[in-house]
Amino acid sequence: ASKITDHGAIIISMVEYYSIITCPNCTYRKKEKMPKDSCLYIYKCSSCNTVLKPKQGDCCVFCSYGNINCPPIQEKLSQKNI
């Protein structure tokens, strides 16, 4: 996504679509593809079968347990920084 500022400059925001989720129960890590325009509320660990749900205040499991926030939050944060 890009945005043109008041001064005519073009700013390009890079959105990541992969995040590494770390299970808080067994510490297993797995790279997962994130949905582009929605949040994932339930995730089952492939190692120990623990069902993960977002922590209070987070919109999805990627924001709670991933190394990178979900794309909708990345977009919001990049717009705040412009």
Side-chain angles (χ1 to χ4, degrees), residues 64-81:
S64 293
Y65 306 103
N67 67 324
I68 296 174
N69 288 334
C70 68
I73 295 298
Q74 290 179 58
E75 284 288 333
K76 281 183 186 177
L77 292 174
S78 70
Q79 290 173 3
K80 284 178 78 172
N81 294 329

Side-chain angles (χ1 to χ4, degrees), residues 3-74:
K3 181 178 180 176
I4 300 176
T5 67
D6 293 338
H7 305 290
I10 298 175
I11 298 171
I12 298 172
S13 64
M14 300 299 290
V15 174
E16 298 284 335
Y17 292 104
Y18 286 90
S19 182
I20 298 172
I21 290 186
T22 303
C23 176
N25 186 50
C26 71
T27 68
Y28 180 74
R29 297 172 52 155
K30 186 172 182 185
K31 186 175 184 178
E32 295 285 359
K33 186 171 184 176
M34 297 184 279
K36 292 181 182 181
D37 57 1
S38 63
C39 294
L40 185 68
Y41 300 107
I42 297 174
Y43 177 83
K44 188 175 184 179
C45 176
S46 355
S47 177
C48 71
N49 294 319
T50 296
V51 175
L52 306 180
K53 294 182 181 176
K55 294 177 183 175
Q56 186 174 359
D58 287 342
C59 68
C60 69
V61 294
F62 292 108
C63 290
S64 293
Y65 306 103
N67 67 324
I68 296 174
N69 288 334
C70 68
I73 295 298
Q74 290 179 58

